[in-house]
Amino acid sequence: DTAVSQTPKYLVTQMGNDKSIKCEQNLGHDTMYWYKQDSKKFLKIMFSYNNKELIINETVPNRFSPKSPDKAHLNLHINSLELGDSAVYFCASSLRGGNEKLFFGSGTQLSVL
Amino acid sequence: DQQVKQNSPSLSVQEGRISILNCDYTNSMFDYFLWYKKYPAEGPTFLISISSIKDKNEDGRFTVFLNKSAKHLSLHIVPSQPGDSAVYFCAAAGSKTSYDKVIFGPGTSLSVIP
C-alpha cells in the first residue's frame, strides 16, 4: 500500500495544453509539498500546504496552481504548458510540517513537446 | 545561486569499502541537515539527519559528520553494499521545526561495485 502516490507517472503533452497531476498520501500527515527536479537534477520546492492551508509558495509562474481538497490530497494544475515545464515533479508529505523527514511519491515525468 | 553543493557528481566504491559523500553549504543560517537516497524511477527516501548542535549522527552503517565552521558535512557508508548504489541528495534547512524551505543539493551518484 503506497504511502504517497501520484498519478500519472508519465505525462507527454503539447505546448499550450492544460494538465493536472494528482497526489494522495495515506500516512495521516498534515503537510504536503510539490517539488520540481529540473534538468540539472536540483530538487526545488514549489508549494507546501499544511492542513489545506498554503504555507510555502515559491516563485513559480501562476500557470501552476496547487489545489488541496483535504489534507490527504494535493493536486497540481498547470495551464498553458511550455517547453521549459518539462521536468520530474515530486509530491511529498511530512507528519507535522517543518523540516522533519519528507516522504516522496515516485514522481511524474512531464514532457512538453 | 547554489546554497547546497555536492561537488562530486559520481563516486565508485568497491563492495565492503567505505563510501564518503561530501556536501558543502554557503548559508550559515542552516541549522538542520538531511540526506536522502534515490533509486531510478522512485522518489527520494530519507536516510539520516543531523542538527547543528551535534557533529555526528550514526544509524547502522550510515554516519553523518557535520563541521559547522567549515560549512561541510559528509555521509559515510561502512561497509558499502551493492544495494547502496543510488543517488544521494544532501539537504539543508533553517531548523527542524520551522517552515523554512529545505534546500537540496544536485546529488551524487554512488556505484558500489561487487
Side-chain angles (χ1 to χ4, degrees):
Chain A
D1 195 19
T2 307
V4 180
S5 59
Q6 54 181 108
T7 55
K9 192 163 180 65
Y10 300 97
L11 187 51
V12 181
T13 188
Q14 298 286 331
M15 262 176 39
N17 284 350
D18 302 337
K19 290 293 178 186
S20 295
I21 307 172
K22 296 185 175 182
C23 180
E24 175 181 4
Q25 54 96 0
N26 62 6
L27 297 167
H29 287 174
D30 287 342
T31 306
M32 296 185 71
Y33 311 78
W34 278 108
Y35 279 82
K36 178 180 179 181
Q37 186 177 30
D38 60 24
S39 57
K40 294 184 179 178
K41 304 302 181 186
F42 283 93
L43 274 162
K44 294 181 181 176
I45 191 167
M46 301 173 69
F47 304 101
S48 78
Y49 271 74
N50 179 267
N51 277 316
K52 303 194 296 175
E53 181 182 346
L54 183 64
I55 299 296
I56 293 175
N57 183 354
E58 281 297 287
T59 307
V60 174
N62 58 15
R63 299 181 294 103
F64 290 79
S65 55
K67 287 185 172 52
S68 182
D70 55 60
K71 76 173 193 178
H73 295 83
L74 180 62
N75 304 321
L76 184 65
H77 301 277
I78 316 170
N79 295 323
S80 304
L81 278 155
E82 299 178 358
L83 294 176
D85 297 333
S86 295
V88 182
Y89 292 84
F90 288 98
C91 178
S93 71
S94 65
L95 182 58
R96 282 176 294 271
N99 294 307
E100 55 192 6
K101 64 181 181 182
L102 299 167
F103 291 77
F104 283 87
S106 58
T108 295
Q109 172 82 60
L110 172 64
S111 300
V112 182
L113 306 177
Chain B
D1 177 25
Q2 292 184 39
Q3 296 188 64
V4 178
K5 303 177 186 181
Q6 293 176 259
N7 292 322
S8 298
S10 61
L11 176 67
S12 287
V13 171
Q14 289 286 336
E15 181 178 2
R17 306 293 291 266
I18 184 171
S19 295
I20 300 177
L21 295 94
N22 292 305
C23 177
D24 296 290
Y25 59 96
T26 57
N27 189 340
S28 57
M29 299 301 290
F30 287 144
D31 227 25
Y32 184 61
F33 305 90
L34 311 96
W35 285 93
Y36 285 83
K37 173 180 175 179
K38 183 184 179 303
Y39 293 117
E42 295 184 12
T45 55
F46 171 79
L47 194 56
I48 193 168
S49 62
I50 188 167
S51 165
S52 62
I53 61 173
K54 293 185 171 182
D55 55 17
K56 176 182 173 181
N57 189 23
E58 195 170 349
D59 184 1
R61 297 185 297 113
F62 302 91
T63 303
V64 57
F65 295 92
L66 175 63
N67 182 334
K68 216 175 172 204
S69 61
K71 296 193 184 71
H72 176 84
L73 61 155
S74 59
L75 175 68
H76 293 211
I77 307 173
V78 183
S80 301
Q81 298 173 355
D84 296 329
S85 297
V87 176
Y88 289 79
F89 290 97
C90 173
S95 75
K96 183 176 181 179
T97 55
S98 74
Y99 283 98
D100 295 344
K101 58 186 179 182
V102 176
I103 307 294
F104 283 82
T108 295
S109 179
L110 173 66
S111 296
V112 180
I113 304 161

